[in-house]
Amino acid sequence: MYRSIVVATAAVTLAFSGAALAKDKSSRNAGLPSLDNVKPLPASALPSAAVDDGFFRNFQLSVEGSYGEVKHKAGQPAALRQYSTGVAIGLSFDISDYAFASITGNFSSNVLKSKVVQFPLDLSANAYSRGFDAVIGVKPLPWLRAGFIGGTGNGNAGYTFTAFGGGSNSVSEGQRLGGFVGATYVTGPMAFSADLVYLNIRNKQDYGPNNTPQIATWGTDLLSLSLGASYQVLPQLTLSAGLGLNHIMKQTVAPADTPNDINWASLQIGASYAVTDNLNVKLTGMTWLNNNKFDYSRVALGLTYKF
């Protein structure tokens, strides 16, 4: 289930300032996608102040590479550690003066280290995930926005017991659907934003015919409030920070897993530099705060080109 939470909180936090398991039951929470596995609301999807001609306007193409690490805190059954690298490619645009949309595709590669519950055996895995997410929204006023998020993804992995060799494979799939509402206030070189996001996330894992049970399902209803601020230090340089407050409204847990924290926070800092009027480079870092189950951190470097 952590797969869903990582994806959702990363998406809403980074956007506003969007899997595979072994046959052993202890590893069913180990299949995590990279945070790039879903980018439902990239910053480039927010309403643009630029003026352009045509019904579809202000096109932006973005490419982002990322690296993330996650590990279980003491007392969790699987003793999970995961290292993820990913890439995401997105296209966003305005629809006339009062709407906007984006679509983002992503791929991630994950290396997992875990320990089974029943026996003191180390387990390693290589997992891959891919997917896409789409956003469509309206901006009735230049500072106000609302819309819908939808996405899907799938993954596969091969697991090996370190001491004995051999292994097993598993496949997964997931869907996300939700909505958001937000606002931005700009005063001089400062800008402030607040966005409320709801996501319904559902996942299914197939461990193969030799596992009991063969298929497991789990899901989450997640509510996140993202607060962001940015300061234009120089005409080309902008610094930003964001705080995400996350609340699980409802969750179902995979077999042998433990529930995720109901409430926790995420902190992001970033810097963007306008190389030209059309090309922007952005570096961001994020970590989780006050989460009793996981330690999580992520860094990302992205390019955005405005047509």
Side-chain angles (χ1 to χ4, degrees):
M1 183 172 64
Y2 178 72
R3 158 196 170 103
S4 311
I5 306 303
V6 168
V7 166
T9 57
V12 298
T13 302
L14 295 178
F16 293 113
S17 334
L21 302 173
K23 294 179 182 178
D24 180 76
K25 294 181 180 179
S26 67
S27 300
R28 291 181 178 170
N29 200 39
L32 313 176
S34 161
L35 290 178
D36 293 313
N37 198 31
V38 80
K39 299 287 262 183
L41 216 56
S44 59
L46 299 183
S48 172
V51 177
D52 199 356
D53 295 327
F55 187 72
F56 299 102
R57 59 184 69 167
N58 301 326
F59 285 87
Q60 298 186 50
L61 179 66
S62 62
V63 179
E64 184 184 75
S66 66
Y67 175 79
E69 295 186 5
V70 63
K71 65 179 181 178
H72 272 140
K73 291 189 174 180
Q76 298 298 322
L80 169 73
R81 297 183 68 93
Q82 175 172 316
Y83 311 92
S84 302
T85 56
V87 61
I89 301 176
L91 179 66
S92 65
F93 53 90
D94 286 345
I95 305 172
S96 187
D97 292 326
Y98 302 104
F100 58 95
S102 72
I103 185 167
T104 304
N106 50 76
F107 175 82
S108 69
S109 174
N110 312 281
V111 177
L112 300 95
K113 303 292 183 181
S114 186
K115 188 181 292 292
V116 303
V117 174
Q118 292 91 343
F119 309 100
L121 298 177
D122 292 327
L123 192 69
S124 62
N126 292 300
Y128 303 92
S129 57
R130 75 287 294 172
F132 72 90
D133 288 82
V135 172
I136 187 165
V138 296
K139 42 178 182 175
L141 297 171
W143 52 270
L144 182 65
R145 55 188 169 270
F148 298 98
I149 303 168
T152 185
N154 60 75
N156 60 279
Y159 285 81
T160 303
F161 284 101
T162 305
F164 301 104
S168 60
N169 297 301
S170 63
V171 295
S172 64
E173 62 182 54
Q175 294 81 37
R176 302 159 293 276
L177 184 64
F180 62 90
V181 59
T184 299
Y185 176 73
V186 179
T187 173
M190 297 288 296
F192 302 92
S193 64
D195 291 88
L196 186 65
V197 181
Y198 165 77
L199 283 176
N200 174 270
I201 310 158
R202 293 292 175 262
N203 294 279
K204 181 173 73 172
Q205 189 80 36
D206 188 336
Y207 307 104
N210 295 326
N211 190 78
T212 303
Q214 178 179 345
I215 295 176
T217 60
W218 65 97
T220 305
D221 287 344
L222 178 69
L223 189 67
S224 291
L225 175 64
S226 293
L227 305 174
S230 65
Y231 179 71
Q232 190 174 13
V233 181
L234 300 170
Q236 296 85 11
L237 178 64
T238 300
L239 303 179
S240 62
L243 177 66
L245 304 175
N246 309 296
H247 172 68
I248 293 181
M249 304 170 65
K250 182 173 64 175
Q251 63 178 311
T252 55
V253 182
D257 194 10
T258 58
N260 288 285
D261 281 12
I262 300 298
N263 299 293
W264 78 101
S266 51
L267 177 66
Q268 175 193 288
I269 58 173
S272 62
Y273 186 82
V275 181
T276 68
D277 290 342
N278 292 36
L279 181 63
N280 186 276
V281 180
K282 187 172 184 179
L283 177 66
T284 58
M286 189 186 73
T287 187
W288 280 12
L289 306 173
N290 196 39
N291 191 292
N292 295 318
K293 186 174 181 178
F294 294 105
D295 285 322
Y296 179 78
S297 59
R298 175 186 187 263
V299 294
L301 179 64
L303 297 175
T304 300
Y305 183 79
K306 303 177 183 179
F307 293 90

